[in-house]
Amino acid sequence: MRTPSDLNCHRGYEWALMKQAVARNPDIALYGLPWGWPGWLGFGSTNPYSNVSATADYVARWCECAREAHNLSISAVGLWNEADSYWNASTFEYILALRARLDAAGMTHIRIVAPDGQIGPAASTMALNASLKAAIWALGAHYPGASGSTAQERRLGLRLWSSEDY
């Protein structure tokens, strides 16, 4: 979506890649992770979480395109590639808004992986915020095979998702 009203479910080569992956392995899990955002989401800032409902709608509409235009079922979505510096109250609001938007669209099966990168600060927050923890399916970490996980992260009882590894 190049603007809020520019929904084109056929733009991009990723749809063809996902269809081919599903054709080869019907049980494959499809995961979406934004690496960047259209500028209009920030409403004048570079932070897409400045309007969490617009950003949640953007991601949910992508999932709806997968379902409705391509007969693809997205299994999980991440927040934002390597955006550890944005782990704050706006991010928490976004996660809750995304969960609500996905649920409202009948996509309760789509799981949320958060954060993407270093999970220590996220684990600390989730330990204190039951609603936030309940909305998150897995902790998204970079190179968990090399760095492992901490006792605090394991106590949360969430899966450890390798969002980037060797």
Side-chain angles (χ1 to χ4, degrees):
M1 295 171 47
R2 294 176 179 155
T3 68
S5 61
D6 177 37
L7 180 63
N8 181 338
C9 294
H10 298 283
R11 184 182 292 135
Y13 64 90
E14 294 85 355
W15 303 119
L17 293 176
M18 288 188 281
K19 287 178 184 177
Q20 287 298 313
V22 170
R24 288 169 172 76
N25 179 359
D27 296 323
I28 195 167
L30 299 176
Y31 174 61
L33 175 65
W35 277 48
W37 301 96
W40 58 265
L41 275 176
F43 296 98
S45 79
T46 59
N47 182 358
Y49 302 144
S50 62
N51 184 327
V52 296
S53 61
T55 304
D57 188 60
Y58 176 83
V59 171
R61 289 173 81 183
W62 179 81
C63 294
E64 289 169 335
C65 279
R67 178 182 66 187
E68 296 164 13
H70 300 283
N71 197 31
L72 295 167
S73 180
I74 302 300
S75 300
V77 292
L79 300 185
W80 184 4
N81 184 57
E82 299 179 351
D84 300 328
S85 62
Y86 283 96
W87 188 257
N88 57 40
S90 295
T91 309
F92 314 153
E93 291 173 27
Y94 167 67
I95 292 168
L96 297 174
L98 178 59
R99 178 76 274 152
R101 175 62 174 80
L102 291 170
D103 291 352
M107 296 184 286
T108 57
H109 69 282
I110 297 178
R111 301 166 176 145
I112 297 175
V113 177
D116 180 76
Q118 301 301 315
I119 59 177
S124 298
T125 304
M126 282 183 257
L128 301 172
N129 187 325
S131 297
L132 182 64
K133 180 184 170 200
I136 296 170
W137 175 72
L139 298 169
H142 283 202
Y143 307 101
S147 60
S149 60
T150 66
Q152 178 188 35
E153 294 160 2
R154 290 188 298 278
R155 275 193 303 274
L156 287 172
L158 296 172
R159 289 163 181 79
L160 184 60
W161 179 275
S162 177
S163 54
E164 188 173 307
D165 216 329
Y166 302 109

